[in-house]
Amino acid sequence: MRSTAGGHGNLLAISDLHIGYPENRALVERMRPSTDDDWLLVAGDVSETVADIRWALETLAGRFRKVVWVPGNHELWTHPKDTVTLRGVERYEHLVALCRELGVTTPEDPYPVWDGPGGPVVVAPLFLLYDYSFLPPGCATKDEGMAYAEKTGVICTDEYTLHPDPYPSREAWCRARVAKTERRLAELPEDLPTVLVNHYPLDRHPTDVLRYPEFAMWCGTGLTADWHRRFRVEVMVYGHLHIPRTTHLEGVRFEEVSVGYPREWRPRPGPPGTLRRVLPMEVATGDGGAAPGLGRERGGAR
């Protein structure tokens, strides 16, 4: 479970590349490592079509020492524009096979160990989904939460395009993934800290800044709320919210590393598509809020 990282590399991260947008595809075309030993963590939502996902991961795998990928909700969509019409588990397994063909590490592979600066740490890519437990204020059940979301018009596209087959529901698939992953993490050596990579945050607190708080239902599960303590987490890397920032919870760093849609990243200061350095830790990190114009758009396409 040891890495091939040298002594001068960086553990970098990015998510929500959404390369169906030409501007975002151009960002990926320009992405380069800063050293020959850099690893890149890709925390989901590369694109909706298998062809786009292949292009992006193959491009990045040809440049970085190691690429680690986890699926976002967009990769799991059975999109009408995609020639691959697989659904649910079969679609996920198809993407895992694609990644293995390209030499990209997935949640189904042995967890690698980063031995570069800031290490050693186990890098654990996770696929956990969500279970509607991040309910809107005043709602006690999923049905109440969905009724509230329907009233506000904020419904995730997952409801129409992310199929859980053969599971009866997305929350059932989530529970199965959480149980499987929990067992794997519990078996890791107790003397090694971890970097956990998931498309969704492992705790609800990053969703507190969402413009439409009801969208939190599609943003994770309360079943992982203590994982940052239980599994010796050095850094929790995630995306999905399109609100790139650093937060801390009980001394653990949470890094949201998404690019987002062009309309979101254009107003941000700094060059778009900048890779976030996870390890060694940046000299200056701090909690941040949603930048002007960011957060969920009405209709909830993420």
Side-chain angles (χ1 to χ4, degrees), residues 135-153:
L135 291 168
C139 297
T141 66
K142 175 189 173 183
D143 287 344
E144 290 181 7
M146 290 297 293
Y148 181 90
E150 288 172 1
K151 184 171 65 175
T152 63

PDB file of all heavy atoms in Angstrom, residues 135-153:
ATOM      1  N   LEU A 135     -31.767  17.476   6.161  1.00  0.00           N
ATOM      2  CA  LEU A 135     -33.100  17.999   5.882  1.00  0.00           C
ATOM      3  C   LEU A 135     -33.170  19.518   6.048  1.00  0.00           C
ATOM      4  O   LEU A 135     -32.417  20.102   6.833  1.00  0.00           O
ATOM      5  CB  LEU A 135     -34.107  17.341   6.815  1.00  0.00           C
ATOM      6  CG  LEU A 135     -34.376  15.855   6.560  1.00  0.00           C
ATOM      7  CD1 LEU A 135     -35.154  15.250   7.726  1.00  0.00           C
ATOM      8  CD2 LEU A 135     -35.150  15.673   5.254  1.00  0.00           C
ATOM      9  N   PRO A 136     -34.081  20.168   5.321  1.00  0.00           N
ATOM     10  CA  PRO A 136     -34.280  21.602   5.505  1.00  0.00           C
ATOM     11  C   PRO A 136     -34.806  21.900   6.914  1.00  0.00           C
ATOM     12  O   PRO A 136     -35.415  21.031   7.556  1.00  0.00           O
ATOM     13  CB  PRO A 136     -35.327  21.964   4.447  1.00  0.00           C
ATOM     14  CG  PRO A 136     -35.318  20.833   3.473  1.00  0.00           C
ATOM     15  CD  PRO A 136     -34.933  19.624   4.259  1.00  0.00           C
ATOM     16  N   PRO A 137     -34.596  23.113   7.400  1.00  0.00           N
ATOM     17  CA  PRO A 137     -35.118  23.476   8.720  1.00  0.00           C
ATOM     18  C   PRO A 137     -36.628  23.256   8.810  1.00  0.00           C
ATOM     19  O   PRO A 137     -37.378  23.574   7.883  1.00  0.00           O
ATOM     20  CB  PRO A 137     -34.780  24.968   8.827  1.00  0.00           C
ATOM     21  CG  PRO A 137     -33.622  25.166   7.902  1.00  0.00           C
ATOM     22  CD  PRO A 137     -33.841  24.206   6.765  1.00  0.00           C
ATOM     23  N   GLY A 138     -37.048  22.660   9.919  1.00  0.00           N
ATOM     24  CA  GLY A 138     -38.468  22.430  10.139  1.00  0.00           C
ATOM     25  C   GLY A 138     -38.995  21.142   9.540  1.00  0.00           C
ATOM     26  O   GLY A 138     -40.172  20.821   9.733  1.00  0.00           O
ATOM     27  N   CYS A 139     -38.149  20.389   8.819  1.00  0.00           N
ATOM     28  CA  CYS A 139     -38.580  19.132   8.203  1.00  0.00           C
ATOM     29  C   CYS A 139     -38.015  17.952   9.000  1.00  0.00           C
ATOM     30  O   CYS A 139     -36.842  17.954   9.379  1.00  0.00           O
ATOM     31  CB  CYS A 139     -38.109  19.054   6.751  1.00  0.00           C
ATOM     32  SG  CYS A 139     -38.825  20.336   5.689  1.00  0.00           S
ATOM     33  N   ALA A 140     -38.855  16.954   9.232  1.00  0.00           N
ATOM     34  CA  ALA A 140     -38.443  15.800  10.040  1.00  0.00           C
ATOM     35  C   ALA A 140     -38.259  14.535   9.218  1.00  0.00           C
ATOM     36  O   ALA A 140     -37.667  13.567   9.700  1.00  0.00           O
ATOM     37  CB  ALA A 140     -39.466  15.543  11.144  1.00  0.00           C
ATOM     38  N   THR A 141     -38.736  14.503   7.974  1.00  0.00           N
ATOM     39  CA  THR A 141     -38.649  13.313   7.145  1.00  0.00           C
ATOM     40  C   THR A 141     -38.265  13.703   5.723  1.00  0.00           C
ATOM     41  O   THR A 141     -38.380  14.874   5.321  1.00  0.00           O
ATOM     42  CB  THR A 141     -39.992  12.562   7.105  1.00  0.00           C
ATOM     43  OG1 THR A 141     -40.965  13.375   6.429  1.00  0.00           O
ATOM     44  CG2 THR A 141     -40.483  12.221   8.509  1.00  0.00           C
ATOM     45  N   LYS A 142     -37.832  12.696   4.938  1.00  0.00           N
ATOM     46  CA  LYS A 142     -37.530  12.947   3.537  1.00  0.00           C
ATOM     47  C   LYS A 142     -38.750  13.484   2.798  1.00  0.00           C
ATOM     48  O   LYS A 142     -38.638  14.421   1.992  1.00  0.00           O
ATOM     49  CB  LYS A 142     -37.033  11.668   2.861  1.00  0.00           C
ATOM     50  CG  LYS A 142     -36.802  11.824   1.366  1.00  0.00           C
ATOM     51  CD  LYS A 142     -36.510  10.513   0.662  1.00  0.00           C
ATOM     52  CE  LYS A 142     -36.445  10.695  -0.847  1.00  0.00           C
ATOM     53  NZ  LYS A 142     -36.222   9.432  -1.581  1.00  0.00           N
ATOM     54  N   ASP A 143     -39.923  12.908   3.051  1.00  0.00           N
ATOM     55  CA  ASP A 143     -41.118  13.364   2.357  1.00  0.00           C
ATOM     56  C   ASP A 143     -41.388  14.832   2.638  1.00  0.00           C
ATOM     57  O   ASP A 143     -41.745  15.600   1.722  1.00  0.00           O
ATOM     58  CB  ASP A 143     -42.332  12.524   2.775  1.00  0.00           C
ATOM     59  CG  ASP A 143     -42.302  11.119   2.186  1.00  0.00           C
ATOM     60  OD1 ASP A 143     -41.524  10.891   1.236  1.00  0.00           O
ATOM     61  OD2 ASP A 143     -43.047  10.251   2.688  1.00  0.00           O
ATOM     62  N   GLU A 144     -41.210  15.258   3.887  1.00  0.00           N
ATOM     63  CA  GLU A 144     -41.411  16.662   4.224  1.00  0.00           C
ATOM     64  C   GLU A 144     -40.361  17.531   3.528  1.00  0.00           C
ATOM     65  O   GLU A 144     -40.672  18.613   3.014  1.00  0.00           O
ATOM     66  CB  GLU A 144     -41.338  16.863   5.741  1.00  0.00           C
ATOM     67  CG  GLU A 144     -42.509  16.272   6.507  1.00  0.00           C
ATOM     68  CD  GLU A 144     -42.399  16.516   7.997  1.00  0.00           C
ATOM     69  OE1 GLU A 144     -41.484  17.257   8.419  1.00  0.00           O
ATOM     70  OE2 GLU A 144     -43.232  15.969   8.754  1.00  0.00           O
ATOM     71  N   GLY A 145     -39.111  17.042   3.511  1.00  0.00           N
ATOM     72  CA  GLY A 145     -38.051  17.790   2.849  1.00  0.00           C
ATOM     73  C   GLY A 145     -38.296  17.934   1.356  1.00  0.00           C
ATOM     74  O   GLY A 145     -38.081  19.012   0.773  1.00  0.00           O
ATOM     75  N   MET A 146     -38.730  16.859   0.709  1.00  0.00           N
ATOM     76  CA  MET A 146     -38.989  16.913  -0.719  1.00  0.00           C
ATOM     77  C   MET A 146     -40.170  17.833  -1.026  1.00  0.00           C
ATOM     78  O   MET A 146     -40.159  18.576  -2.018  1.00  0.00           O
ATOM     79  CB  MET A 146     -39.263  15.511  -1.254  1.00  0.00           C
ATOM     80  CG  MET A 146     -38.034  14.608  -1.273  1.00  0.00           C
ATOM     81  SD  MET A 146     -36.728  15.204  -2.373  1.00  0.00           S
ATOM     82  CE  MET A 146     -37.523  14.992  -3.968  1.00  0.00           C
ATOM     83  N   ALA A 147     -41.192  17.815  -0.187  1.00  0.00           N
ATOM     84  CA  ALA A 147     -42.328  18.711  -0.396  1.00  0.00           C
ATOM     85  C   ALA A 147     -41.886  20.165  -0.282  1.00  0.00           C
ATOM     86  O   ALA A 147     -42.317  21.024  -1.066  1.00  0.00           O
ATOM     87  CB  ALA A 147     -43.428  18.395   0.617  1.00  0.00           C
ATOM     88  N   TYR A 148     -41.004  20.425   0.672  1.00  0.00           N
ATOM     89  CA  TYR A 148     -40.483  21.790   0.831  1.00  0.00           C
ATOM     90  C   TYR A 148     -39.667  22.192  -0.394  1.00  0.00           C
ATOM     91  O   TYR A 148     -39.811  23.304  -0.926  1.00  0.00           O
ATOM     92  CB  TYR A 148     -39.623  21.858   2.095  1.00  0.00           C
ATOM     93  CG  TYR A 148     -39.045  23.221   2.373  1.00  0.00           C
ATOM     94  CD1 TYR A 148     -39.736  24.147   3.160  1.00  0.00           C
ATOM     95  CD2 TYR A 148     -37.798  23.599   1.867  1.00  0.00           C
ATOM     96  CE1 TYR A 148     -39.213  25.397   3.423  1.00  0.00           C
ATOM     97  CE2 TYR A 148     -37.272  24.846   2.116  1.00  0.00           C
ATOM     98  CZ  TYR A 148     -37.970  25.740   2.893  1.00  0.00           C
ATOM     99  OH  TYR A 148     -37.454  26.986   3.149  1.00  0.00           O
ATOM    100  N   ALA A 149     -38.812  21.276  -0.873  1.00  0.00           N
ATOM    101  CA  ALA A 149     -37.987  21.573  -2.036  1.00  0.00           C
ATOM    102  C   ALA A 149     -38.832  21.803  -3.282  1.00  0.00           C
ATOM    103  O   ALA A 149     -38.551  22.693  -4.094  1.00  0.00           O
ATOM    104  CB  ALA A 149     -36.978  20.446  -2.275  1.00  0.00           C
ATOM    105  N   GLU A 150     -39.867  21.006  -3.441  1.00  0.00           N
ATOM    106  CA  GLU A 150     -40.748  21.178  -4.596  1.00  0.00           C
ATOM    107  C   GLU A 150     -41.454  22.536  -4.543  1.00  0.00           C
ATOM    108  O   GLU A 150     -41.650  23.194  -5.576  1.00  0.00           O
ATOM    109  CB  GLU A 150     -41.767  20.043  -4.636  1.00  0.00           C
ATOM    110  CG  GLU A 150     -41.150  18.702  -5.040  1.00  0.00           C
ATOM    111  CD  GLU A 150     -42.115  17.540  -4.882  1.00  0.00           C
ATOM    112  OE1 GLU A 150     -43.280  17.787  -4.467  1.00  0.00           O
ATOM    113  OE2 GLU A 150     -41.707  16.394  -5.152  1.00  0.00           O
ATOM    114  N   LYS A 151     -41.799  22.982  -3.346  1.00  0.00           N
ATOM    115  CA  LYS A 151     -42.462  24.276  -3.203  1.00  0.00           C
ATOM    116  C   LYS A 151     -41.533  25.423  -3.576  1.00  0.00           C
ATOM    117  O   LYS A 151     -41.966  26.412  -4.171  1.00  0.00           O
ATOM    118  CB  LYS A 151     -42.962  24.432  -1.765  1.00  0.00           C
ATOM    119  CG  LYS A 151     -43.755  25.719  -1.519  1.00  0.00           C
ATOM    120  CD  LYS A 151     -44.398  25.709  -0.154  1.00  0.00           C
ATOM    121  CE  LYS A 151     -43.363  25.713   0.960  1.00  0.00           C
ATOM    122  NZ  LYS A 151     -44.005  25.833   2.307  1.00  0.00           N
ATOM    123  N   THR A 152     -40.238  25.266  -3.259  1.00  0.00           N
ATOM    124  CA  THR A 152     -39.277  26.324  -3.591  1.00  0.00           C
ATOM    125  C   THR A 152     -38.731  26.200  -5.009  1.00  0.00           C
ATOM    126  O   THR A 152     -38.079  27.112  -5.501  1.00  0.00           O
ATOM    127  CB  THR A 152     -38.096  26.308  -2.607  1.00  0.00           C
ATOM    128  OG1 THR A 152     -37.387  25.057  -2.734  1.00  0.00           O
ATOM    129  CG2 THR A 152     -38.572  26.479  -1.168  1.00  0.00           C
ATOM    130  N   GLY A 153     -38.965  25.061  -5.649  1.00  0.00           N
ATOM    131  CA  GLY A 153     -38.454  24.856  -7.001  1.00  0.00           C
ATOM    132  C   GLY A 153     -37.011  24.416  -7.062  1.00  0.00           C
ATOM    133  O   GLY A 153     -36.384  24.455  -8.123  1.00  0.00           O
TER     134      GLY A 153
END
